[in-house]
Amino acid sequence: MVRRRLGEKRGLWWASLVLVAGAVPRMLSTPGLFAGTVVVSAATAVVNVLIPVLVRKRFPRERVGAMMGLYALSMGAGSALVAAVVVPVAQAAGSWKPAIGKGLGGPLRERVPVAQI
């Protein structure tokens, strides 16, 4: 539905915006943590549907597998990096809320390159 209405590029841009919008309430309170997680999960699902379509359009057939592997690797590495940083930040800050905010760095940085695709 997102692809039909917006296309891949605009859909990815909006999904990243929704991802950031869902991540912000996660820092504010426990109910915000749960509600924001639902929003972030929905945005991630949209991205995971649109990325393969965009990759198939932009790369030759013989490179699609490698590019999708690189995408999966970057998702895993990014998740591992955030997971590694959360506990030390939470301990240093004395609260889990700023630690959750550290996870916003990636989506905020990536909105600009996605907009330029």
Side-chain angles (χ1 to χ4, degrees):
M1 186 165 92
V2 172
R3 181 178 170 215
R4 256 184 279 137
R5 288 189 176 194
L6 300 175
E8 293 88 19
K9 295 176 193 176
R10 288 180 62 206
L12 283 170
W13 190 88
W14 280 103
S16 67
L17 183 67
V18 169
L19 193 144
V20 170
V24 170
R26 295 179 75 203
M27 296 181 292
L28 304 177
S29 66
T30 302
L33 177 66
F34 293 112
T37 299
V38 170
V39 173
V40 167
S41 298
T44 302
V46 170
V47 169
N48 285 335
V49 168
L50 292 178
I51 287 287
V53 174
L54 190 66
V55 167
R56 271 189 239 115
K57 281 186 172 182
R58 299 206 50 159
F59 292 97
R61 184 178 203 141
E62 60 274 357
R63 293 196 59 212
V64 169
M67 293 298 107
M68 288 307 301
L70 184 61
Y71 167 68
L73 177 70
S74 68
M75 290 289 287
S79 297
L81 180 63
V82 170
V85 169
V86 166
V87 172
V89 170
Q91 289 174 341
S95 173
W96 56 268
K97 294 175 183 178
I100 296 291
K102 284 291 184 188
L104 277 173
L108 287 173
R109 276 191 309 275
E110 297 309 316
R111 281 191 63 233
V112 173
V114 167
Q116 295 173 357
I117 290 177

